[in-house]
Amino acid sequence: HRLAEFASSDRVMAAVGPLVGSVAETAMAQADSQRLPLLTLSQKEGLAAASPYCFRNSLTTRRQVRTLLDAAMVDQGLTTFAMLSPASRQGELFAEEFRAALQQRGGELIAAESYSPDQTDFRRQVRLLLGLDPDAPDEEEQEPEETVGENDLEQELEPEQEEPPPFQALFIPDYADRIALIAPQLVFYGLEQVQLLGTNGWNDPELVQTAGQFIEGAIFTDGFFRHSPYPFVQEFVQRYYATYGQDPTILEAQGYDAAGILLSLFNNTDIATREDIRQALTEIQNFPGVTGATRFDAEGEADKVLFLLQVQDGIITQRN
């Protein structure tokens, strides 16, 4: 209702928000009917594509997956992957996006397993990822041989070579509290020496405190990194803390960038109408936001340079 009031005013050139998906859908319809450029922060898929007047400045599953695969396939040359995802709506979205992007890039998905969101034991999923019988005991007793020959003795004296995993990287799109349960069990059940890949849910300092040794070297991505060395990010964090007495989250950072984008357009004396604003939003290139350099694609989705993060020596650091 408030957006309808704003849209009826000649003084309103554009609007920012809302955040909740159901409300954002209604707002998008109103903005479209009034031809009012709307820059929403909602994560609900399909909003921007539904109207030429709707743009979305939010962290998307697609952009996260693309950033991860750039790091894994282009930077590291990895080609074989596995996926362990929660049986939730968000987990399914990430799984679908990961499959599609991997196929498009010519990568190979060796194995994929899902788990219940409230699951605590991941033995079955890990063994299936490794191509092992999930119902077999962890240690199978071998019957003693009747005779031991010279060749047999030499084989016994040779150190056992562990079979490498059938894939090079494992993608787990979940949050830090789940990862803290999963990561130690990967090692316990024999899944080691793979590149772990995660989403923005991994970006939690508590994760490295609870599971640091098991996620060392893990790579994940986020739309905002409070400890980024970029001067403009540090300036924003310091100003926000000085004003509110706490660190900003990605939501505050996205709102800050959305306002900054529109204010930068309002400073252009050639922009005088709502249509001018809409057109200018489509032409933005690499706006220097604290949530990454931003432009909008043909559907109005924010195409950002996300933060690529990695656990190094027990600390979350920025790679790019």
Side-chain angles (χ1 to χ4, degrees):
H1 297 294
R2 295 299 301 275
L3 183 63
E5 295 176 11
F6 293 151
S8 64
S9 172
D10 293 338
R11 299 184 62 186
V12 176
M13 296 281 285
V16 174
L19 180 62
V20 179
S22 58
V23 180
E25 282 187 312
T26 301
M28 182 276 296
Q30 293 174 344
D32 184 70
S33 65
Q34 296 292 330
R35 297 186 176 183
L36 176 71
L38 176 67
L39 188 49
T40 182
L41 308 178
S42 172
Q43 292 187 356
K44 188 174 181 61
E45 298 291 340
L47 281 175
S51 168
Y53 290 90
C54 188
F55 299 81
R56 189 161 71 115
N57 184 42
S58 183
L59 184 64
T60 66
T61 57
R62 177 173 299 180
R63 177 50 53 188
Q64 289 192 66
V65 167
R66 289 181 178 179
T67 300
L68 286 172
L69 289 182
D70 281 344
M73 302 186 73
V74 178
D75 297 344
Q76 297 189 35
L78 306 183
T79 58
T80 56
F81 297 80
M83 177 167 56
L84 181 60
S85 58
S88 62
R89 179 54 181 159
Q90 185 176 33
E92 292 169 357
L93 286 174
F94 270 113
E96 292 171 7
E97 192 64 48
F98 192 79
R99 287 178 186 274
L102 196 57
Q103 182 179 16
Q104 184 181 37
R105 293 166 179 250
E108 185 177 3
L109 185 62
I110 302 296
E113 296 294 332
S114 63
Y115 55 87
S116 171
D118 59 356
Q119 190 169 324
T120 58
D121 187 346
F122 302 90
R123 176 186 182 278
R124 183 176 186 84
Q125 282 78 9
V126 174
R127 289 186 66 86
L128 286 171
L129 288 175
L130 290 171
L132 302 175
D133 181 0
D135 299 317
D138 290 329
E139 294 183 5
E140 298 180 358
E141 295 184 0
Q142 297 182 354
E143 295 185 3
E145 298 180 3
E146 295 182 358
T147 59
V148 178
E150 184 178 344
N151 291 337
D152 296 324
L153 183 59
E154 290 179 357
Q155 291 178 359
E156 287 183 7
L157 294 176
E158 293 178 359
E160 293 185 4
Q161 297 294 325
E162 292 187 2
E163 192 72 21
F167 45 85
Q168 298 165 305
L170 175 62
F171 175 53
I172 313 178
D174 211 337
Y175 290 94
D177 58 342
R178 277 298 101 178
I179 303 304
L181 290 176
I182 296 172
Q185 294 188 44
L186 296 177
V187 177
F188 184 80
Y189 293 125
L191 178 47
E192 300 182 73
Q193 300 178 349
V194 295
Q195 175 63 65
L196 294 179
L197 303 175
T199 57
N200 65 310
W202 289 51
N203 188 17
D204 187 333
E206 291 188 5
L207 179 58
V208 294
Q209 296 176 9
T210 57
Q213 62 177 314
F214 302 106
I215 59 169
E216 181 67 27
I219 296 173
F220 46 96
T221 186
D222 205 342
F224 178 66
F225 184 44
R226 179 254 178 273
H227 298 289
S228 171
Y230 293 157
F232 55 91
V233 174
Q234 286 302 304
E235 180 185 1
F236 164 67
V237 170
Q238 292 167 7
R239 290 173 59 189
Y240 187 93
Y241 190 89
T243 304
Y244 300 103
Q246 59 186 17
D247 287 336
T249 70
I250 188 173
L251 295 180
E252 289 83 17
Q254 288 173 342
Y256 178 81
D257 279 351
I261 288 171
L262 291 180
L263 288 174
S264 70
L265 299 182
F266 294 153
N267 288 332
N268 186 342
T269 56
D270 293 333
I271 293 178
T273 66
R274 293 178 177 178
E275 186 59 31
D276 291 340
I277 290 289
R278 188 200 68 78
Q279 183 61 36
L281 284 171
T282 67
E283 297 173 355
I284 282 180
Q285 296 293 326
N286 297 323
F287 175 83
V290 296
T291 58
T294 304
R295 59 177 290 274
F296 294 99
D297 64 19
E299 292 185 344
E301 294 283 3
D303 186 0
K304 292 177 175 289
V305 178
L306 300 185
F307 292 90
L308 188 65
L309 310 175
Q310 186 171 29
V311 178
Q312 293 182 330
D313 297 327
I315 300 174
I316 297 176
T317 61
Q318 182 177 328
R319 282 190 48 167
N320 59 348

